[in-house]
Amino acid sequence: MKHVAVLGAGLSGLSSAFHLSRLHPNVRITVLESQKRAGGWVRSTRVSLPENYGSVLLEAGPRTLRPNAQSVLELVNLLGLKEQLITVPKTSPAAKSRYLYIPPDHGTSYSGLQQIPSSFFSFVKSPLSSTLVAAVAQEALKLNNRAKGVEDESVDSFLRRRFGSRFAETFGSAIIHGIYAADSRNISVRAALPSMWDAEARGWGSLVRGMFMSVKKPQGQAYDAGNVPQLMDGVSVYSFRDGMETLTRALDSHIRMRPNVQISYNAPVTSLASTEDGFAITVEGGRTVEASHVVSALPTPILHSILSPTLATTEVNKVGSLTANSTSSVHVVNIVFPGPPCSIHPAGFGYLIPRPPTGYPSTSPEPTNLGILGTVFDSCSLADQDTEARNPHAYHTAKFTKLTVMIGGPYPLPQLPPYLSSTEVPQGVDRKTNSLPQYMQTVLEQLAAHLGHWLPTPLYWRIVPNENCIPTLSPGHLERVDELQGYLDERLGGRLQVVGAGIGGVSLGDCVEAGRTVARRLHFQ
Ligand SMILES: C=Cc1c2[nH]c(c1C)Cc1[nH]c(c(CCC(=O)O)c1C)Cc1[nH]c(c(C)c1CCC(=O)O)Cc1[nH]c(c(C)c1C=C)C2
């Protein structure tokens, strides 16, 4: 019997195991996960609030999905999750109103929270419009300035080349903070913005021209999504009543029930060696698993560390690209304030903060600047996760407001306080000093400065350190992936497949799609 070992039970590993078990019911599948749970960076927790505030659903990682990822809609259908969906309409403020926070020392004539123009009214009002209009108008008239033979470049250099430096520094750097928590000068444009790269080529050097030219859409694959795509009509983003972990928990439970799948938790892989007819996989503690095929959904540096010691010196170079990308670490700070969202922040998605004009500090953060990348106004999109806030007028009437501050990425990470949540602070300490840890005091001071007003003492807060959570897909990434997969296919006959955020893209949709594709790519004679 053929036996596939899936390494890692984050979303990519779970999706691989799910689709493998569906497509190949006669193949044995073993999932090896280093942690005590599946789901990787997707973690949703319901926390009880003090007094009579009820409970709140908090996300430590990704919080929303976009409806364009067909492979995720398929999972929603196949796993029976339709009843648990929470959708955010395109007409809601959370979809329409997005902000940039421009610090006073940014070198612009305007500062503070500025709405990114999305309607005629906001366009007339927003000082950002002048930067946008000038950049877009000039781009359409600019000659082709992509140097011959250039196969990739950074998002920053691409946007600078086409839209000018102000646009790249203000919008480009902020968007890349929101997706990769990284410096836009280190992110591959072909990996991050492939449609823009293609539009430039299509429009004889102009993205704006290229956007107006029709593209032949590739024949869509058939996804078994039932009526879920119809439920997504007019939807901007979506999640689930019990948070994003609904998806990974459902995958985990489904896979565990399949007769051909076995999942081992607390089973970190320490070595992966190819043998005559497959692989010998060593798990911490000494257990060896023999498999005919391997799907690695591990972070690429970890795959490198378990694979390279088993290779000959000449071969180690060939898999060197597994360590070519660095990773970003982010402190996710969930805060719950008493009072309705309208008393805390403007209606909208949240805000992103561009890169400082002087660049990122290289040493530990200044006491007054923790390196905030942006803030998400969770109550505006995900209030339905919290019973007490679930009503159409929640923005004005909810008892509490939840938001998330994102810290770190290209900034040096601040030192964590001794207590990582308000419930961990020993009662005596809190009562005596009646104060928050310095870290949280600074977060609240900075947040108040961004929002332009005083903030009440939070009902609850927690800091979740996410070490190395997002790979920085640097220029040349796609080419390196092609070379790596080519080498592995040639050397191992396609029996080792590599998936995951560090290979096929960092969005949840990318991860699910990669698992689906790998199950179709593996052939068992
Ligand atoms: C831990 C923090 C994360 C930051 N980025 C990601 C995580 C998990 C991953 C990520 N964020 C977005 C995407 C794009 C995919 C997509 O939805 O198409 C990815 C891969 C976009 C995004 N960023 C934030 C939110 C709420 C979203 C969701 C979609 C949307 O409505 O646009 C907020 C946010 N994430 C990070 C920061 C610094 C930040 C700041 C507001 C880092």
Side-chain angles (χ1 to χ4, degrees), residues 41 43 60-66 68 94-95 98 174-182 236-237 330-332 349-353 372-378 381 404-407 466 469-470 505-510:
W41 295 111
R43 287 143 305 151
R63 57 210 54 239
T64 45
L65 282 152
R66 286 183 184 277
N68 59 359
R98 289 164 181 263
I175 290 165
I176 294 303
H177 281 168
I179 302 175
Y180 294 89
S236 148
V237 290
V330 182
H331 289 178
V332 169
F349 154 89
Y351 59 89
L352 289 162
I353 308 182
I372 297 183
L373 301 165
T375 297
V376 188
F377 302 153
D378 298 303
S381 44
T404 307
V405 180
M406 308 280 190
I407 293 174
N466 293 289
C469 62
I470 313 176
V506 300
S507 77
L508 296 184
D510 292 333

Side-chain angles (χ1 to χ4, degrees), residues 302-466:
I302 294 185
L303 174 60
H304 186 265
S305 71
I306 59 168
L307 182 65
S308 57
T310 69
L311 297 175
T313 327
T314 48
E315 292 177 313
V316 174
N317 284 342
K318 305 271 190 190
V319 297
S321 59
L322 289 169
T323 58
N325 293 325
S326 58
T327 47
S328 280
S329 299
V330 182
H331 289 178
V332 169
V333 184
N334 301 116
I335 310 176
V336 184
F337 289 108
C342 68
S343 66
I344 306 290
H345 58 67
F349 154 89
Y351 59 89
L352 289 162
I353 308 182
R355 167 174 80 229
T358 47
Y360 302 99
S362 52
T363 50
S364 65
E366 303 146 35
T368 54
N369 178 5
L370 287 174
I372 297 183
L373 301 165
T375 297
V376 188
F377 302 153
D378 298 303
S379 285
C380 268
S381 44
L382 302 172
D384 279 5
Q385 290 171 336
D386 310 313
T387 329
E388 290 72 13
R390 203 178 293 162
N391 77 65
H393 309 292
Y395 180 67
H396 296 283
T397 59
K399 277 192 196 167
F400 59 79
T401 301
K402 61 173 172 179
L403 55 74
T404 307
V405 180
M406 308 280 190
I407 293 174
Y411 290 93
L413 277 177
Q415 207 187 346
L416 288 166
Y419 313 112
L420 295 185
S421 86
S422 48
T423 46
E424 279 174 34
V425 179
Q427 289 233 322
V429 173
D430 199 19
R431 283 217 190 101
K432 251 187 255 153
T433 60
N434 196 26
S435 67
L436 294 156
Q438 183 57 49
Y439 183 113
M440 278 308 295
Q441 275 182 39
T442 313
V443 170
L444 293 177
E445 279 160 21
Q446 284 193 252
L447 192 56
H450 299 166
L451 298 172
H453 59 83
W454 167 91
L455 291 168
T457 304
L459 288 172
Y460 177 85
W461 57 266
R462 68 168 191 181
I463 307 162
V464 186
N466 293 289

Side-chain angles (χ1 to χ4, degrees), residues 38 58 61 87 105 140 183 196 278 290 365 405 445 467 483 520 522:
L58 300 175
T87 54
D105 57 358
D183 184 342
M196 290 203 179
E290 306 215 323
V405 180
E445 279 160 21
E467 279 280 318
E483 268 173 29
R520 283 161 176 73
L522 281 181

Side-chain angles (χ1 to χ4, degrees), residues 136 139-140 158-159 163 167 193-215:
V136 173
E139 203 279 342
F158 174 77
L159 295 179
F163 294 105
F167 182 95
L193 309 171
S195 57
M196 290 203 179
W197 178 261
D198 294 344
E200 186 196 26
R202 204 167 52 238
W204 302 293
S206 161
L207 245 120
V208 174
R209 288 196 298 264
M211 297 273 189
F212 283 108
M213 294 166 76
S214 64
V215 214

